[in-house]
Amino acid sequence: MQKQVADARAAIAGIRSGMTLMLGGFGLCGIPENCIAALAATDLTDLTCISNNAGVDDFGLGLLLQSRQIKKMIASYVGENGEFERQMLDGSLEVDLIPQGSLAERCRAGGAGIPAFFTPAGYGTEVGEGKEVRDFNGKPHVLEQALVADFALVKAWKGDTDGNLIYKGTARNFNPVMAMAGRVTVAEVEELVPAGELDPNQIHTPGVFVQRIFRGTNYEKRIEQRTTRPRHAG
């Protein structure tokens, strides 16, 4: 199976309005920058996006929010995005906020073929409202449904033409579990090598989960909030 495609535009072919997308990354680290930019250049609308966060106003998923292409966000942390706040408060954006660990496990469960699981996270809060509750070892747990997506868009440090992926640092957070949970998984990588060049012991996502891969370009790798220690004289 030929998995390598030329660029992000070719990689997102087949994504249609109304689809559900998973987008890897943690904050602005390890996000599929090229794929998001390619989506922003289309006229796609009514997208449901599953991501740990929603980017910032002018970067990451913030680009798709600015162009009103996202109908619903399923996320864990959204505190850096003013446009997200505006759309949520005016009712134009549907929002499902999920505890971070529950979000990760719901993605992992979707990729593993597990339809649902019980967790204590969220019990007794708005997160648990309307969900089935069972006691395990004397502690109440709520039932959470697995998440899957029409397309999963992930970012890796290095990959090969068979789709095997290696992540670096914080990018190895939501990317691996989302790569498993997409009906079609697209991987953009900083370095693309021929099949067989990666050490099998270092691979985080096996190529069986990846349908398309390409080498990305012009990564900005922004920092959400830069904080530095005051410089002292002497």
Side-chain angles (χ1 to χ4, degrees):
M1 179 179 178
Q2 173 61 35
K3 299 184 180 183
Q4 184 177 354
V5 295
D7 53 25
R9 184 177 177 183
I12 66 168
I15 297 180
R16 300 187 300 275
S17 294
M19 281 188 166
T20 296
L21 311 179
M22 283 183 178
L23 300 104
F26 189 76
L28 297 181
C29 177
I31 65 173
E33 295 178 31
N34 286 211
C35 285
I36 292 172
L39 288 170
T42 70
D43 58 1
L44 293 169
T45 59
D46 297 323
L47 298 172
T48 295
C49 292
I50 304 170
S51 179
N52 176 65
N53 72 307
V56 293
D57 283 344
D58 62 344
F59 191 64
L61 284 179
L63 296 174
L64 302 185
L65 287 168
Q66 281 186 343
S67 53
R68 301 278 175 159
Q69 291 174 269
I70 299 176
K71 174 186 70 175
K72 181 177 182 178
M73 275 297 312
I74 300 174
S76 178
Y77 175 71
V78 293
E80 306 294 337
N81 195 314
E83 182 62 28
F84 180 100
E85 180 183 11
R86 286 187 288 272
Q87 293 185 28
M88 182 179 72
L89 293 177
D90 70 21
S92 61
L93 178 68
E94 298 177 48
V95 177
D96 187 0
L97 291 178
I98 303 172
Q100 195 167 80
S102 297
L103 177 61
E105 182 62 10
R106 288 177 70 178
C107 295
R108 192 200 69 82
I114 299 168
F117 59 91
F118 283 96
T119 174
Y123 172 76
T125 72
E126 291 184 15
V127 170
E129 288 182 2
K131 296 176 180 176
E132 181 182 346
V133 177
R134 289 181 60 181
D135 278 4
F136 293 92
N137 300 318
K139 188 174 185 178
H141 292 61
V142 297
L143 183 68
E144 293 285 5
Q145 303 286 333
L147 291 171
V148 294
D150 297 299
F151 278 74
L153 310 177
V154 302
K155 158 74 165 40
W157 167 54
K158 186 180 290 188
D160 68 19
T161 52
D162 278 347
N164 298 299
L165 305 176
I166 298 174
Y167 308 99
K168 181 182 286 186
T170 308
R172 190 183 171 188
N173 197 308
F174 279 88
N175 277 301
V177 292
M178 288 184 171
M180 296 171 59
R183 295 184 179 93
V184 175
T185 293
V186 174
E188 56 178 86
V189 298
E190 295 182 39
E191 184 177 348
L192 184 60
V193 301
E197 285 201 12
L198 299 182
D199 180 352
N201 294 301
Q202 302 300 316
I203 291 170
H204 299 134
T205 293
V208 68
F209 292 111
V210 177
Q211 282 71 49
R212 301 175 190 170
I213 189 168
F214 70 97
R215 182 181 178 275
T217 58
N218 302 317
Y219 287 110
E220 293 187 47
K221 299 185 180 181
R222 292 196 198 178
I223 297 174
E224 287 175 87
Q225 291 192 18
R226 185 185 299 274
T227 57
T228 58
R229 185 185 308 171
R231 185 183 297 273
H232 296 290

